[in-house]
Amino acid sequence: VFVDFMLHHLALRFGDYDLAIEHEARLKALADVTQVIANLAAEAEARRLFQQGDAAAALNAFDPFQAIEDNQLTVEPENNGYRARLLRAKILLALGRNEDALRWAQSVHAGLQAFNPELLPDVYRVQAEAHENLGQWSRAADRYQRFVDLWA
């Protein structure tokens, strides 16, 4: 399962959407085995659709499979769904749903440093863009500065 998930990521990196779809199909075939596999299948499809420029379809790919309660994804505790939550934040930002994007980005930021600190630049960038789109200039400037400081 995780091999297909990782090969899906590689196929997307190389722009081979047909191969990515093959790996999605393998994941979807096992989606009824556990919720974790269903989440991975949904995330894979959403990531491909978003990369192909269809943010609305990407968000729809998440929704049938993800159990959402209080802004959290249902995932295995050791995974915590940080990458999936960040992807959802990026999709919501692309759809102009800035406040929702901020909530999802904040849910990633809350426990990020302990689990996936490499995602922090993306979180700050999503937050900065959402604040900017909402006209919250000082918050946007703060998040952009945090983004820049990570590279200094």
Side-chain angles (χ1 to χ4, degrees):
V1 169
F2 291 105
V3 170
D4 277 313
F5 188 70
M6 295 310 297
L7 289 173
H8 177 271
H9 277 282
L10 287 174
L12 288 181
R13 297 282 287 183
F14 291 112
D16 189 342
Y17 297 117
D18 291 334
L19 184 57
I21 290 169
E22 285 180 34
H23 291 292
E24 284 171 37
R26 290 181 189 149
L27 290 168
K28 287 179 183 178
L30 298 172
D32 61 343
V33 174
T34 69
Q35 185 63 45
V36 172
I37 297 172
N39 289 351
L40 290 174
E43 180 185 346
E45 182 180 15
R47 190 170 300 280
R48 176 185 51 81
L49 290 166
F50 186 58
Q51 186 170 319
Q52 289 178 305
D54 194 345
L59 186 59
N60 286 335
F62 265 128
D63 288 337
F65 298 99
Q66 303 293 343
I68 303 169
E69 292 182 19
D70 193 28
N71 206 32
Q72 302 296 313
L73 296 179
T74 301
V75 294
E76 292 296 308
E78 64 273 7
N79 178 340
N80 291 309
Y82 291 119
R83 291 180 195 283
R85 285 190 248 171
L86 181 57
L87 176 60
R88 185 181 283 269
K90 290 177 180 180
I91 291 167
L92 291 165
L93 183 65
L95 291 170
R97 293 176 52 186
N98 298 297
E99 291 179 7
D100 290 334
L102 280 172
R103 280 195 299 278
W104 280 92
Q106 183 57 37
S107 80
V108 175
H109 187 264
L112 190 65
Q113 299 205 7
F115 295 100
N116 297 96
E118 74 278 7
L119 299 179
L120 197 53
D122 269 351
V123 170
Y124 285 146
R125 187 188 53 75
V126 168
Q127 289 176 332
E129 288 181 32
H131 283 302
E132 184 178 2
N133 292 342
L134 291 168
Q136 299 169 346
W137 310 118
S138 63
R139 288 182 180 177
D142 175 68
R143 293 310 188 273
Y144 279 126
Q145 188 59 55
R146 290 180 191 203
F147 175 81
V148 169
D149 288 348
L150 290 173
W151 304 107

